[in-house]
Amino acid sequence: MSLLKQIMATLNSDMFRPKCLRQRLLIKPALNFWKMIYNAFTAAGGPMLTLYVILPLLYKSKKFQLPFQFWYPYNTKISPFYEITYLHQVIGLFYSLIAIYNIDMLIAALMIVIGAQCDILSDELRNFKKSSIISSIIHHQEILIFASNCNKFINFILLGQFFASSVILSLVLYRLALDKRLDIKLLTHLLVVVFYTIQIFTYCWFGNEVEVKSNQIPFSVYESDWTNYSLKEKKDVMILILRSQKPIKLSAFNLFYLSLETYIKILRSSWTYLAVLRSINNLE
């Protein structure tokens, strides 16, 4: 929480705010895309939650069926324990789902901020003004510190989320491969696949955007009127160019980076797990 408070304090600083309307319009497309992803999460999570809630009620042959099968220290097959347990599972599922995709969207928003700051810095360098190169160097240093703090904040979340999502995707795909019936359970599994595919894509897409936008910082200097700089300003610009040669990459303990290439690898690994499970099933 202390690290998150530090991140929020940096977000509220004057240095991280757009300086003009042009910079506001520059970061608006990324914010609109974030909203679209958030709505896509809601569109996938809402029906999935509804189906999990009503699915046990549709099987009339199986009385006292719960959304999830867990062990309880009491008999869930009698009233009112069944109703209380059912309500508990529905509320727990609702809060878990809300927590999962809001945490995902918070992390995506932090990555958008890093990319937006890179865009703002690039805009400042293209429209260079006297005595502003030092502030640009400081701004770049603050972006690097902010990105490092964000990476520390999301390390454990990313590692657990990517591992769990890959396993869940492979298991659900395995269930889909075995189940030949077109029923509501099949639709539920398809929604789970869509939900986790969007979740992994969100991390990798915005992480890839951070890398791409940070790569543009040294090139933005060449788009300015750098030939008219003073000798001191040229030396300061060289320091910034050398410092920004290495792009900002977000990772999970440096085990893997958030990029579209990683997204493809995760999907391939899920299909590999699926193939292994199917081969084991065929042997049996």
Coordinates of all heavy atoms in Angstrom, one line a residue, residues 29-87:
P29 N -6.6 8.9 -27.2 CA -6.8 7.6 -27.8 C -6.5 6.5 -26.9 O -7.3 5.5 -26.8 CB -5.9 7.6 -29.0 CG -5.7 9.1 -29.3 CD -5.7 9.8 -28.0
A30 N -5.4 6.5 -26.1 CA -5.1 5.4 -25.2 C -6.1 5.3 -24.1 O -6.5 4.2 -23.7 CB -3.7 5.7 -24.6
L31 N -6.6 6.4 -23.6 CA -7.6 6.4 -22.5 C -8.9 5.8 -23.1 O -9.6 5.0 -22.4 CB -7.9 7.8 -22.0 CG -6.7 8.4 -21.2 CD1 -7.0 9.8 -20.8 CD2 -6.4 7.6 -19.9
N32 N -9.3 6.2 -24.3 CA -10.5 5.6 -24.9 C -10.4 4.1 -25.1 O -11.3 3.4 -25.0 CB -10.8 6.3 -26.2 CG -11.2 7.8 -26.1 OD1 -11.7 8.1 -25.0 ND2 -11.0 8.6 -27.1
F33 N -9.2 3.7 -25.5 CA -9.0 2.2 -25.7 C -9.1 1.5 -24.4 O -9.6 0.4 -24.3 CB -7.6 2.0 -26.4 CG -7.4 0.5 -26.7 CD1 -8.1 -0.1 -27.7 CD2 -6.4 -0.2 -26.1 CE1 -7.9 -1.4 -28.1 CE2 -6.2 -1.5 -26.4 CZ -6.9 -2.1 -27.4
W34 N -8.5 2.1 -23.3 CA -8.7 1.5 -22.0 C -10.1 1.4 -21.6 O -10.5 0.3 -21.0 CB -7.9 2.4 -21.0 CG -8.0 1.9 -19.5 CD1 -7.2 1.0 -18.9 CD2 -9.0 2.3 -18.6 NE1 -7.6 0.8 -17.6 CE2 -8.7 1.6 -17.4 CE3 -10.1 3.1 -18.5 CZ2 -9.4 1.7 -16.2 CZ3 -10.8 3.3 -17.4 CH2 -10.5 2.5 -16.2
K35 N -10.9 2.4 -21.9 CA -12.4 2.3 -21.6 C -13.0 1.2 -22.4 O -13.9 0.5 -21.8 CB -13.1 3.6 -21.9 CG -12.6 4.7 -20.9 CD -13.3 6.1 -21.3 CE -12.9 7.2 -20.4 NZ -13.5 8.5 -20.8
M36 N -12.6 1.0 -23.6 CA -13.2 -0.1 -24.4 C -12.8 -1.4 -23.9 O -13.7 -2.3 -23.8 CB -12.6 0.1 -25.9 CG -13.3 -0.9 -26.9 SD -12.7 -0.7 -28.5 CE -11.0 -1.4 -28.4
I37 N -11.6 -1.6 -23.4 CA -11.2 -2.9 -22.8 C -12.0 -3.1 -21.5 O -12.4 -4.3 -21.2 CB -9.7 -2.9 -22.5 CG1 -8.9 -2.9 -23.8 CG2 -9.3 -4.1 -21.7 CD1 -9.0 -4.1 -24.7
Y38 N -12.2 -2.1 -20.7 CA -13.0 -2.2 -19.5 C -14.4 -2.7 -19.8 O -14.9 -3.6 -19.1 CB -13.0 -0.9 -18.8 CG -13.6 -1.0 -17.4 CD1 -12.8 -1.2 -16.3 CD2 -14.9 -0.8 -17.1 CE1 -13.3 -1.3 -15.0 CE2 -15.5 -0.9 -15.9 CZ -14.6 -1.1 -14.8 OH -15.1 -1.2 -13.5
N39 N -15.0 -2.1 -20.8 CA -16.3 -2.5 -21.2 C -16.4 -3.9 -21.8 O -17.3 -4.7 -21.5 CB -16.9 -1.5 -22.3 CG -17.1 -0.1 -21.7 OD1 -17.4 0.0 -20.5 ND2 -17.0 0.9 -22.6
A40 N -15.3 -4.3 -22.4 CA -15.2 -5.7 -22.9 C -15.1 -6.7 -21.8 O -15.7 -7.8 -21.8 CB -14.0 -5.8 -23.8
F41 N -14.4 -6.3 -20.7 CA -14.3 -7.2 -19.5 C -15.7 -7.3 -18.9 O -16.1 -8.4 -18.5 CB -13.4 -6.5 -18.5 CG -12.0 -7.1 -18.5 CD1 -10.9 -6.4 -18.7 CD2 -11.8 -8.5 -18.2 CE1 -9.6 -6.9 -18.7 CE2 -10.6 -9.1 -18.1 CZ -9.5 -8.3 -18.4
T42 N -16.4 -6.2 -18.8 CA -17.8 -6.2 -18.2 C -18.7 -7.1 -19.1 O -19.5 -7.8 -18.6 CB -18.3 -4.8 -18.1 OG1 -17.4 -4.0 -17.4 CG2 -19.6 -4.8 -17.4
A43 N -18.6 -6.9 -20.4 CA -19.4 -7.7 -21.3 C -19.2 -9.2 -21.2 O -20.1 -10.0 -21.4 CB -19.2 -7.2 -22.8
A44 N -17.9 -9.6 -21.0 CA -17.6 -11.0 -20.9 C -17.9 -11.5 -19.4 O -18.3 -12.6 -19.3 CB -16.1 -11.2 -21.2
G45 N -17.6 -10.7 -18.4 CA -17.7 -11.1 -17.0 C -19.2 -11.2 -16.6 O -19.6 -12.1 -15.8
G46 N -20.0 -10.2 -17.0 CA -21.4 -10.2 -16.6 C -22.2 -11.4 -17.0 O -22.8 -12.1 -16.1
P47 N -22.2 -11.8 -18.3 CA -22.9 -13.1 -18.7 C -22.3 -14.3 -18.0 O -23.0 -15.2 -17.7 CB -22.7 -13.1 -20.2 CG -22.5 -11.7 -20.6 CD -21.8 -11.0 -19.5
M48 N -21.0 -14.3 -17.9 CA -20.3 -15.5 -17.2 C -20.8 -15.6 -15.8 O -21.1 -16.7 -15.3 CB -18.8 -15.3 -17.3 CG -18.0 -16.5 -16.7 SD -16.2 -16.3 -16.9 CE -15.9 -15.1 -15.6
L49 N -20.9 -14.5 -15.1 CA -21.4 -14.6 -13.7 C -22.8 -15.0 -13.6 O -23.2 -15.9 -12.8 CB -21.2 -13.2 -13.1 CG -21.8 -13.0 -11.7 CD1 -21.1 -13.8 -10.7 CD2 -21.8 -11.5 -11.3
T50 N -23.6 -14.5 -14.6 CA -25.0 -14.9 -14.6 C -25.2 -16.4 -14.9 O -26.1 -17.0 -14.3 CB -25.8 -14.0 -15.7 OG1 -25.6 -12.7 -15.4 CG2 -27.3 -14.3 -15.7
L51 N -24.4 -16.9 -15.8 CA -24.6 -18.3 -16.2 C -24.1 -19.2 -15.0 O -24.8 -20.2 -14.8 CB -23.7 -18.6 -17.4 CG -24.3 -18.0 -18.8 CD1 -23.3 -18.3 -19.9 CD2 -25.6 -18.7 -19.1
Y52 N -23.1 -18.8 -14.3 CA -22.6 -19.6 -13.2 C -23.7 -19.6 -12.1 O -23.8 -20.6 -11.4 CB -21.3 -19.1 -12.6 CG -20.1 -19.7 -13.2 CD1 -19.2 -19.1 -14.0 CD2 -19.8 -21.0 -12.9 CE1 -18.1 -19.7 -14.6 CE2 -18.7 -21.7 -13.4 CZ -17.8 -21.0 -14.3 OH -16.7 -21.6 -14.8
V53 N -24.4 -18.5 -12.0 CA -25.5 -18.4 -10.9 C -26.7 -19.3 -11.2 O -27.2 -20.0 -10.4 CB -25.9 -16.9 -10.7 CG1 -27.1 -16.8 -9.8 CG2 -24.7 -16.1 -10.1
I54 N -27.1 -19.2 -12.5 CA -28.4 -19.9 -12.9 C -28.2 -21.3 -13.4 O -29.1 -22.1 -13.4 CB -29.1 -19.1 -13.9 CG1 -28.4 -19.1 -15.3 CG2 -29.4 -17.6 -13.5 CD1 -29.2 -18.5 -16.4
L55 N -26.9 -21.7 -13.7 CA -26.7 -23.0 -14.3 C -27.1 -24.1 -13.3 O -27.8 -25.1 -13.8 CB -25.2 -23.2 -14.6 CG -24.8 -24.4 -15.4 CD1 -25.5 -24.4 -16.8 CD2 -23.3 -24.4 -15.6
P56 N -26.8 -24.1 -12.0 CA -27.3 -25.2 -11.2 C -28.8 -25.3 -11.1 O -29.4 -26.4 -10.8 CB -26.7 -24.9 -9.8 CG -25.6 -24.0 -10.1 CD -26.0 -23.2 -11.3
L57 N -29.5 -24.2 -11.2 CA -31.0 -24.2 -11.1 C -31.6 -24.8 -12.3 O -32.8 -25.2 -12.3 CB -31.5 -22.7 -10.9 CG -30.9 -22.0 -9.7 CD1 -31.4 -20.5 -9.7 CD2 -31.3 -22.7 -8.4
L58 N -30.9 -24.9 -13.5 CA -31.5 -25.4 -14.7 C -31.5 -26.9 -14.7 O -32.2 -27.5 -15.5 CB -30.7 -24.8 -15.9 CG -30.8 -23.3 -16.1 CD1 -29.9 -22.9 -17.3 CD2 -32.2 -22.8 -16.3
Y59 N -30.6 -27.5 -13.9 CA -30.6 -29.0 -13.9 C -31.6 -29.5 -12.8 O -31.2 -29.6 -11.6 CB -29.1 -29.5 -13.6 CG -28.2 -29.2 -14.7 CD1 -27.3 -28.1 -14.6 CD2 -28.1 -30.0 -15.8 CE1 -26.4 -27.9 -15.6 CE2 -27.2 -29.8 -16.8 CZ -26.3 -28.7 -16.7 OH -25.5 -28.5 -17.7
K60 N -32.7 -29.8 -13.3 CA -33.8 -30.2 -12.3 C -33.5 -31.6 -11.8 O -34.0 -32.0 -10.7 CB -35.2 -30.1 -13.0 CG -35.5 -28.7 -13.4 CD -36.9 -28.7 -14.1 CE -37.3 -27.2 -14.4 NZ -38.6 -27.2 -15.1
S61 N -32.8 -32.4 -12.6 CA -32.5 -33.8 -12.2 C -31.5 -33.8 -11.0 O -31.5 -34.8 -10.2 CB -31.9 -34.6 -13.3 OG -30.7 -34.0 -13.8
K62 N -30.7 -32.8 -10.8 CA -29.8 -32.7 -9.7 C -30.2 -31.6 -8.7 O -30.0 -30.4 -8.9 CB -28.4 -32.3 -10.3 CG -27.8 -33.4 -11.2 CD -26.4 -33.0 -11.7 CE -25.8 -34.0 -12.6 NZ -24.5 -33.5 -13.1
K63 N -30.9 -32.1 -7.7 CA -31.4 -31.1 -6.7 C -30.2 -30.7 -5.8 O -29.3 -31.4 -5.6 CB -32.5 -31.8 -5.9 CG -33.8 -32.0 -6.7 CD -34.9 -32.6 -5.8 CE -36.2 -32.8 -6.6 NZ -37.3 -33.3 -5.8
F64 N -30.4 -29.6 -5.2 CA -29.4 -29.0 -4.3 C -28.0 -28.9 -4.9 O -27.0 -29.1 -4.2 CB -29.4 -29.8 -3.0 CG -30.7 -29.9 -2.2 CD1 -31.5 -31.0 -2.3 CD2 -31.2 -28.7 -1.5 CE1 -32.7 -31.1 -1.6 CE2 -32.4 -28.8 -0.9 CZ -33.1 -29.9 -0.9
Q65 N -28.0 -28.5 -6.2 CA -26.8 -28.3 -6.9 C -26.2 -26.9 -6.6 O -27.0 -25.9 -6.7 CB -26.9 -28.5 -8.4 CG -25.7 -28.5 -9.2 CD -24.9 -29.8 -9.1 OE1 -25.4 -30.8 -8.6 NE2 -23.7 -29.8 -9.6
L66 N -24.9 -26.8 -6.3 CA -24.3 -25.5 -6.1 C -23.5 -25.0 -7.3 O -23.1 -25.8 -8.1 CB -23.4 -25.6 -4.8 CG -24.1 -25.8 -3.5 CD1 -23.1 -26.1 -2.4 CD2 -24.9 -24.6 -3.1
P67 N -23.3 -23.7 -7.4 CA -22.4 -23.2 -8.5 C -21.0 -23.8 -8.5 O -20.5 -24.1 -9.5 CB -22.4 -21.7 -8.3 CG -23.6 -21.4 -7.5 CD -23.9 -22.6 -6.7
F68 N -20.5 -24.0 -7.3 CA -19.1 -24.6 -7.2 C -19.2 -25.7 -6.1 O -19.9 -25.6 -5.1 CB -18.1 -23.5 -6.7 CG -18.0 -22.4 -7.7 CD1 -18.7 -21.2 -7.5 CD2 -17.2 -22.5 -8.8 CE1 -18.5 -20.2 -8.4 CE2 -17.1 -21.5 -9.7 CZ -17.7 -20.3 -9.5
Q69 N -18.5 -26.8 -6.4 CA -18.5 -27.9 -5.5 C -17.3 -27.8 -4.5 O -16.2 -27.9 -4.8 CB -18.3 -29.2 -6.3 CG -19.5 -29.5 -7.3 CD -20.8 -29.5 -6.6 OE1 -21.0 -30.1 -5.5 NE2 -21.8 -28.8 -7.2
F70 N -17.7 -27.5 -3.2 CA -16.7 -27.4 -2.2 C -17.2 -28.3 -1.0 O -18.4 -28.6 -0.9 CB -16.5 -26.0 -1.7 CG -15.9 -25.1 -2.7 CD1 -16.6 -24.1 -3.3 CD2 -14.6 -25.2 -3.0 CE1 -16.0 -23.2 -4.2 CE2 -14.0 -24.4 -3.9 CZ -14.7 -23.4 -4.5
W71 N -16.2 -28.6 -0.1 CA -16.6 -29.3 1.1 C -17.0 -28.3 2.2 O -16.4 -27.3 2.4 CB -15.4 -30.1 1.6 CG -15.7 -30.8 2.9 CD1 -16.3 -32.1 3.0 CD2 -15.4 -30.3 4.2 NE1 -16.4 -32.4 4.4 CE2 -15.9 -31.3 5.1 CE3 -14.9 -29.2 4.7 CZ2 -15.8 -31.2 6.5 CZ3 -14.8 -29.0 6.1 CH2 -15.2 -30.0 7.0
Y72 N -18.1 -28.6 2.8 CA -18.6 -27.8 3.9 C -18.8 -28.7 5.2 O -19.1 -29.8 5.1 CB -19.9 -27.1 3.6 CG -19.8 -26.0 2.5 CD1 -20.0 -26.3 1.2 CD2 -19.5 -24.7 2.9 CE1 -19.9 -25.3 0.2 CE2 -19.4 -23.7 2.0 CZ -19.6 -24.0 0.6 OH -19.5 -23.0 -0.3
P73 N -18.6 -28.1 6.4 CA -18.7 -28.9 7.6 C -20.1 -29.1 8.0 O -20.4 -29.4 9.2 CB -17.9 -28.0 8.6 CG -18.1 -26.6 8.1 CD -18.1 -26.7 6.6
Y74 N -21.1 -29.0 7.1 CA -22.5 -29.2 7.3 C -23.1 -29.7 6.1 O -22.5 -29.7 5.0 CB -23.2 -27.9 7.8 CG -23.0 -26.7 6.9 CD1 -23.9 -26.5 5.8 CD2 -22.0 -25.8 7.1 CE1 -23.7 -25.5 5.0 CE2 -21.8 -24.7 6.3 CZ -22.7 -24.5 5.2 OH -22.5 -23.5 4.3
N75 N -24.3 -30.2 6.2 CA -25.0 -30.8 5.1 C -25.7 -29.7 4.2 O -26.6 -29.0 4.7 CB -26.1 -31.7 5.6 CG -26.8 -32.5 4.4 OD1 -26.4 -32.4 3.3 ND2 -27.8 -33.3 4.8
T76 N -25.2 -29.5 3.0 CA -25.7 -28.5 2.1 C -26.9 -29.0 1.3 O -27.5 -28.2 0.4 CB -24.6 -28.0 1.1 OG1 -24.2 -29.2 0.3 CG2 -23.5 -27.4 1.8
K77 N -27.4 -30.2 1.5 CA -28.5 -30.8 0.8 C -29.8 -30.5 1.4 O -30.9 -31.0 1.0 CB -28.3 -32.3 0.6 CG -27.0 -32.7 -0.1 CD -27.0 -32.3 -1.5 CE -25.7 -32.8 -2.2 NZ -25.6 -32.4 -3.7
I78 N -29.8 -29.8 2.5 CA -31.1 -29.5 3.2 C -31.3 -28.0 3.4 O -30.3 -27.2 3.4 CB -31.1 -30.2 4.6 CG1 -30.0 -29.7 5.5 CG2 -31.1 -31.7 4.4 CD1 -30.0 -30.2 6.9
S79 N -32.5 -27.5 3.5 CA -32.8 -26.1 3.8 C -32.7 -25.8 5.2 O -33.0 -26.7 6.1 CB -34.2 -25.8 3.3 OG -34.3 -26.0 1.9
P80 N -32.3 -24.6 5.6 CA -31.9 -23.5 4.8 C -30.4 -23.4 4.5 O -30.0 -22.4 3.9 CB -32.3 -22.3 5.7 CG -32.0 -22.8 7.1 CD -32.3 -24.3 7.1
F81 N -29.7 -24.5 4.8 CA -28.2 -24.5 4.6 C -27.9 -24.4 3.1 O -26.9 -23.7 2.7 CB -27.6 -25.7 5.2 CG -27.7 -25.8 6.7 CD1 -28.4 -26.8 7.3 CD2 -27.0 -24.8 7.5 CE1 -28.5 -26.8 8.7 CE2 -27.1 -24.9 8.9 CZ -27.9 -25.9 9.5
Y82 N -28.7 -25.0 2.3 CA -28.5 -24.9 0.8 C -28.7 -23.5 0.3 O -27.8 -23.0 -0.4 CB -29.5 -25.9 0.1 CG -29.5 -25.7 -1.4 CD1 -28.4 -26.2 -2.1 CD2 -30.5 -25.1 -2.0 CE1 -28.4 -26.0 -3.5 CE2 -30.5 -24.9 -3.4 CZ -29.4 -25.4 -4.2 OH -29.4 -25.2 -5.5
E83 N -29.7 -22.8 0.7 CA -30.0 -21.5 0.2 C -28.9 -20.5 0.7 O -28.4 -19.6 0.0 CB -31.4 -21.0 0.7 CG -32.5 -21.6 0.0 CD -32.9 -23.0 0.5 OE1 -32.2 -23.4 1.5 OE2 -33.7 -23.7 -0.1
I84 N -28.5 -20.7 2.0 CA -27.5 -19.8 2.6 C -26.1 -20.0 1.8 O -25.4 -19.0 1.5 CB -27.3 -20.0 4.1 CG1 -28.6 -19.6 4.8 CG2 -26.1 -19.3 4.6 CD1 -28.6 -20.0 6.3
T85 N -25.8 -21.3 1.6 CA -24.5 -21.6 0.9 C -24.5 -21.1 -0.5 O -23.5 -20.6 -1.0 CB -24.3 -23.1 0.9 OG1 -24.4 -23.6 2.3 CG2 -22.9 -23.4 0.4
Y86 N -25.7 -21.2 -1.2 CA -25.8 -20.8 -2.6 C -25.6 -19.3 -2.6 O -24.9 -18.8 -3.5 CB -27.2 -21.1 -3.1 CG -27.3 -21.2 -4.6 CD1 -27.4 -22.4 -5.3 CD2 -27.4 -20.0 -5.3 CE1 -27.5 -22.5 -6.6 CE2 -27.5 -20.1 -6.7 CZ -27.5 -21.3 -7.4 OH -27.6 -21.3 -8.7
L87 N -26.3 -18.5 -1.7 CA -26.1 -17.1 -1.7 C -24.7 -16.7 -1.4 O -24.2 -15.7 -2.0 CB -27.1 -16.5 -0.6 CG -27.1 -15.0 -0.5 CD1 -27.5 -14.3 -1.8 CD2 -28.0 -14.5 0.7

